[in-house]
Amino acid sequence: MKPRTALIAALIAAAAVGAAVYAASRHPSTKHGMVTVKAIEDRNGVRRYRLDVKQNKKAGWRFVSEATFQKTNVGDEV
């Protein structure tokens, strides 16, 4: 492999690794912890019940059933 071709291949590989790290960092860190926000999302007539949670300075969210959503209060541990 020529040096120039190797350099281009290395740059492409580095970009792919960077993109994977970025995508992983954007994913919710946790789905367990203290509920901070209760939200109902309505998309195209479909209701989804979301609980935003926080644990050890990491934030995330989880979708739950309507029954679980009704029973859970802000400040509860899930």
Side-chain angles (χ1 to χ4, degrees):
M1 189 182 295
K2 294 181 181 179
R4 186 175 191 175
T5 306
L7 175 65
I8 292 171
L11 289 174
I12 291 171
V17 170
V21 169
Y22 176 77
S25 70
R26 301 298 298 161
H27 185 70
S29 301
T30 183
K31 292 188 176 191
H32 302 283
M34 185 180 69
V35 176
T36 57
V37 176
K38 291 174 65 173
I40 300 173
E41 295 181 2
D42 190 352
R43 294 187 183 200
N44 301 327
V46 177
R47 297 181 96 184
R48 296 173 68 183
Y49 301 91
R50 188 185 81 223
L51 300 175
D52 291 357
V53 295
K54 190 171 189 179
Q55 182 181 37
N56 298 332
K57 298 182 182 178
K58 294 180 181 177
W61 69 87
R62 64 189 298 178
F63 290 102
V64 295
S65 67
E66 183 179 2
T68 303
F69 185 83
Q70 298 296 335
K71 287 189 266 182
T72 306
N73 296 318
V74 172
D76 289 353
E77 293 286 329
V78 292

